Amino acid sequence: MLRWTCQPLHGHATIALIANDAIGNFVIATSLAGMVRRTYPGARISLWSGGRVRELAEGSELFDRFVDFLRRDEAEVALLAAEHGPADLVINIENGAEARRLPRLLSGPSTYVCGPAELEDGTAMPWPDDARGRLWADQCWTATDLPQRFPMLRSAYIGEIFCRLAGFDGPVPRARVRREPCARQVPDVLIAMSASLPDKLWTVDRWSAALGWLRERGLTVGLLGARPSAQSAFWLGSDAEAEVVHQGLVVDWRGSLTLPQVVDAMALSRCVLTLDNGIMHLAATTDVPVVALFRNGIDRLWAPPWGHVHRCVAEAGCAVATIPLRGVLDGLQRALDGPSAPSALGATAGPAAEQSA
């Protein structure tokens, strides 16, 4: 394995991109893949991720191959990597143990590696001795002065950060995800109440009040998310979901659509109200107005710079649960009145330290 410092690649290079299968991480990976395609149009790109994004990854025009490697036995992953053969370039945008081991399995003597990787003895592969290496090693990507300290950055958005770390310059491509027709009557507003961390959750009483406000205006609301039986595997928030369903405030669409159909449904709705989760990232790839609730600082890192995303941000050091109802209702009113300009770009906490969904 050799550290990637923008050495030239041949026109038909094989490039392996490693990403977590949280939906937000996948969406970010599509921007990076788009930049790879733009720079190396003849390259063959394989996405190494997990089953949660299979519906989005398979059939995507950005990837020539999708490999589900997460949460598999190490011997099975080694066989998948051997079948793939050595890549010319491995780009890893994750820092989990499985992701750190994979570059070595995908590498030959002349393979370039970008991102976290373990050597044969299990120690970390050293970062390159340059500005990109220092950015990889930085432990506070949410810092407000990150673009000032690393002038190769034009923003603090995590999608751009990974593009610059991989050595690509120029405009960051808009994220692109597959969309399939949703053959159902779409409610006026779609909401997503689940998230991966407790600090990302909003209180059920505020959810109920916001949904009541929408109902008073004659608007229908649909609840998106995983099937209740599968929700607890990766996400929190099922109690609040069950409560608003019990109150009759939403039409329960959880688990009834594929992810590409969810994208289509959101594009057909009037607006989306969501926590910082995968639904937020998918919604931002469309032109639907999105009202998204963020922790302070994480909005700088994870809020997409495209689409029409209105950020409701908690005070510094506070959880999303503290975001007042009034601010969210104001955001909903602006979203329902018509799309606004996208908010400013956002910030990060180290290689994939935050999972977006």
Side-chain angles (χ1 to χ4, degrees):
M1 293 190 299
L2 306 171
R3 267 298 175 199
W4 172 245
T5 54
C6 304
Q7 298 90 335
L9 298 177
H10 60 81
H12 298 283
T14 57
I15 299 174
L17 176 56
I18 303 170
N20 185 28
D21 65 347
I23 295 171
N25 297 60
F26 171 81
V27 172
I28 287 166
T30 69
S31 289
L32 180 52
M35 187 156 271
V36 173
R37 284 268 181 238
R38 188 169 70 199
T39 308
Y40 301 104
R44 291 187 57 79
I45 305 173
S46 59
L47 175 68
W48 292 70
S49 187
R52 286 190 285 171
V53 297
R54 180 181 296 277
E55 292 175 343
L56 295 168
E58 290 185 336
S60 169
E61 62 185 21
L62 291 168
F63 304 108
D64 298 289
R65 183 185 181 192
F66 166 68
V67 185
D68 181 353
F69 87 100
L70 289 172
R71 295 174 289 277
R72 289 178 179 253
D73 180 85
E74 287 186 41
E76 187 178 1
V77 174
L79 287 173
L80 289 171
E83 176 190 325
H84 179 276
D88 294 300
L89 172 63
V90 177
I91 304 174
N92 177 22
I93 63 171
E94 298 302 333
N95 201 25
E98 293 172 288
R100 291 195 307 268
R101 286 192 296 265
L102 185 56
R104 175 168 49 83
L105 299 176
L106 291 170
S107 295
S110 60
T111 297
Y112 296 114
V113 174
C114 175
E118 286 185 358
L119 300 172
E120 192 72 39
D121 62 2
T123 60
M125 189 180 189
W127 299 118
D129 185 18
D130 58 18
R132 291 186 180 90
R134 290 188 291 277
L135 179 54
W136 274 116
D138 194 287
Q139 295 300 302
C140 193
W141 286 3
T142 52
T144 55
D145 66 345
L146 192 74
Q148 287 70 49
R149 289 189 289 115
F150 296 97
M152 83 275 278
L153 298 176
R154 301 176 189 178
S155 74
Y157 173 56
I158 190 170
E160 186 198 343
I161 291 171
F162 283 129
C163 288
R164 306 305 177 219
L165 286 170
F168 300 115
D169 201 4
V172 176
R174 180 171 177 153
R176 289 153 50 195
V177 296
R178 287 203 313 118
R179 181 170 161 181
E180 294 175 352
C182 170
R184 300 173 66 173
Q185 183 66 39
V186 177
D188 299 305
V189 179
L190 292 171
I191 68 169
M193 302 172 61
S194 62
S196 57
L197 298 170
D199 284 354
K200 292 183 175 186
L201 300 176
W202 207 34
T203 62
V204 67
D205 60 313
R206 286 174 178 158
W207 276 113
S208 297
L211 297 175
W213 182 89
L214 291 168
R215 172 181 275 187
E216 288 170 2
R217 282 149 184 79
L219 300 171
T220 56
V221 181
L223 173 62
L224 300 173
R227 297 187 315 275
S229 59
Q231 213 261 17
S232 62
F234 298 101
W235 300 282
L236 305 173
S238 59
D239 290 346
E241 290 178 345
E243 180 61 24
V244 299
V245 170
H246 176 71
Q247 293 176 17
L249 295 172
V250 296
V251 178
D252 189 358
W253 274 24
R254 291 174 297 171
S256 63
L257 302 175
T258 67
L259 289 174
Q261 288 171 338
V262 167
V263 177
D264 188 61
M266 289 190 292
L268 297 173
S269 70
R270 289 186 59 185
C271 79
V272 173
L273 172 61
T274 178
L275 302 178
D276 170 21
N277 56 25
I279 293 298
M280 183 273 295
H281 287 277
L282 293 177
T285 67
T286 75
D287 289 324
V288 67
V290 182
V291 180
L293 282 61
F294 287 96
R295 292 164 294 163
N296 193 285
I298 299 302
D299 65 305
R300 294 193 299 272
L301 173 61
W302 282 98
W306 36 71
H308 303 283
V309 180
H310 171 80
R311 307 180 197 180
C312 297
V313 183
E315 295 291 333
C318 296
V320 163
T322 64
I323 295 175
L325 174 65
R326 185 70 260 162
V328 175
L329 297 184
D330 288 345
L332 281 170
Q333 188 64 66
R334 283 195 289 273
L336 292 166
D337 287 343
S340 59
S343 346
L345 291 165
T348 163
E354 288 292 335
Q355 295 184 7
S356 42

